[in-house]
Amino acid sequence: MLETLRLDGRVAVVTGASRGLGRAMALALAEAGADLALAGRSKPDLEETAHQVERLGRRALVVPTDVRVLAEVEALVARALADLGRLDILVNNSGVAHVAPLAEMPPQEWERMLDTNLTGVFNGCRAAAPHFLAAKRGKVINIASVMAAVGLSGYTSYAATKGGVVAFTRALAVEWARRNVQVNAIAPGWFLTEMNAHAFADESLRERLLRDVPMRRTGQAEEIGPLVVYLASPASDFMTGQTIYLDGGHSAA
Ligand SMILES: NC(=O)c1ccc[n+]([C@@H]2O[C@H](COP(=O)([O-])OP(=O)(O)OC[C@H]3O[C@@H](n4cnc5c(N)ncnc54)[C@H](OP(=O)(O)O)[C@@H]3O)[C@@H](O)[C@H]2O)c1
C-alpha cells in the first residue's frame, strides 16, 4: 500500500516554493521521489529551496514567476516540461494576506489578494490544462484556508479569495473528472510562517487566535507534507473536488 504514495519519476510544479508551506510541500514531494519546478518571485529563496531538494537527491528547477501574470505561469509550465521532461503535479500555493477591517481595507490590497490567491490558482490551472488534458492524467492541489469556512474580523477579503479557491476546485474537479485529472484543495489552519509571524509574536493576539483552535496550537510546516504527498500520488486517485482542512480542529469547532 505504501508504494502507492511514491512519486518516483514524477515532476511537480510548486508555486510559492520560496518559503513557508510551499517550501515544506516541495521538500515532502521530493522526499517521496518527485523532481521539482520551484516558482515564486524571490530567486535567492527559491535557490535555497532548490539546494534542500537537491540534498534529498532530486532535481530542482528555479523559475522566478509572478503567479498574477498568466504569461509567466505559462512560461513556468513550459520550462518544467522542457527541462524536467514531464509534468504530473501542480501545487498552487502562492498567497498573500492583508489583515484590516473592511472599512479601512485599501482597495489595492483587495486586488492584490484576489490577483495572487485566486487569479494565481486560475493561472496555474489554465497554464497546465493543455498538458494535463493531452496527457490524460494529472494532479492539482490548490491551497485554500480555514478562513474559507470560518469568519474572523479583518479577514473579509482574504476569506473571499480562499472561498473562491474552494469553489473553483470543486467545479474544475467535476469538469476534469472523466479526463483523469484530480483536483483537490488543502485548507490549512494557523501555521506559523512569515505570513502571520507578526500576529503570533503578540502574546495576547496569539492567545485570542488559538482560542478558536481546539488543539490550542499552530501547525508545524512539516505537518502539511504527508497530505500533499497523498493528494499528489496514486493513493488519492478516487478523490477529487475535496477540500481537506488541516487545522487542529478549527473548522470543526
Ligand atoms: N500560514 C498559515 O497560517 C496559512 C493558513 C491558511 C492558508 N495559508 C496559505 O498557504 C499558502 C502559503 O502561505 P505561507 O503561510 O507559507 O506564507 P508565506 O511564508 O508568506 O509564503 C507565501 C509564498 O507565496 C509566494 N508569493 C506571494 N506572492 C506571489 C506572487 N505574486 N507570485 C508568486 N509567488 C508569490 C511567496 O513567494 P515570493 O514572495 O518569493 O514571491 C511565498 O513563497 C498561502 O496561499 C496562504 O494563503 C497559510
Side-chain angles (χ1 to χ4, degrees):
M1 175 276 298
L2 287 175
E3 271 306 299
T4 66
L5 288 158
R6 293 294 316 174
L7 299 175
D8 301 288
R10 306 283 163 99
V11 170
V13 165
V14 177
T15 71
S18 47
R19 57 176 188 267
L21 299 183
R23 177 179 282 169
M25 290 190 284
L27 294 177
L29 294 167
E31 197 181 324
D35 293 328
L36 268 298
L38 305 167
R41 292 163 306 170
S42 162
K43 194 164 182 233
D45 293 339
L46 291 171
E47 280 165 351
E48 173 53 31
T49 306
H51 289 317
Q52 295 187 27
V53 166
E54 283 159 1
R55 276 204 290 275
L56 292 166
R58 308 310 320 169
R59 290 184 295 166
L61 182 68
V62 166
V63 191
T65 307
D66 187 331
V67 297
R68 295 172 292 185
V69 183
L70 179 58
E72 292 194 23
V73 184
E74 286 174 334
L76 160 68
V77 168
R79 278 286 307 279
L81 286 166
D83 292 18
L84 298 173
R86 53 188 291 161
L87 173 60
D88 306 280
I89 301 150
L90 169 67
V91 182
N92 289 307
N93 163 74
S94 290
V96 290
H98 183 88
V99 183
L102 182 72
E104 295 161 22
M105 182 64 75
Q108 57 272 29
E109 287 298 335
W110 158 257
E111 276 165 25
R112 190 172 69 98
M113 285 187 269
L114 204 50
D115 290 351
T116 311
N117 302 0
L118 190 51
T119 304
V121 170
F122 169 86
N123 286 345
C125 294
R126 184 68 184 78
H131 170 73
F132 281 154
L133 296 179
K136 298 190 172 63
R137 58 189 296 233
K139 295 279 187 181
V140 177
I141 301 142
N142 297 324
I143 304 305
S145 166
V146 68
M147 291 301 148
V150 304
L152 182 63
S153 289
Y155 284 84
T156 50
S157 311
Y158 178 80
T161 67
K162 294 302 190 176
V165 170
V166 171
F168 182 94
T169 299
R170 195 187 292 123
L172 186 60
V174 170
E175 190 168 308
W176 285 355
R178 280 177 302 286
R179 316 296 289 271
N180 194 33
V181 181
Q182 289 81 47
V183 187
N184 292 291
I186 298 173
W190 295 119
F191 281 71
L192 244 187
T193 64
E194 203 170 292
M195 179 171 279
N196 52 35
H198 190 66
F200 279 88
D202 175 333
E203 198 44 53
S204 70
L205 187 51
R206 177 191 168 80
E207 206 242 318
R208 160 68 194 89
L209 294 174
L210 287 184
R211 226 181 294 145
D212 293 335
V213 184
M215 287 188 190
R216 295 286 190 273
R217 71 168 177 90
T218 54
Q220 306 288 325
E222 312 78 67
E223 290 180 292
I224 202 169
L227 184 52
V228 77
V229 168
Y230 169 70
L231 291 176
S233 74
S236 62
D237 277 355
F238 194 50
M239 177 177 285
T240 200
Q242 301 307 303
T243 295
I244 301 178
Y245 288 83
L246 184 67
D247 63 358
H250 192 163
S251 59

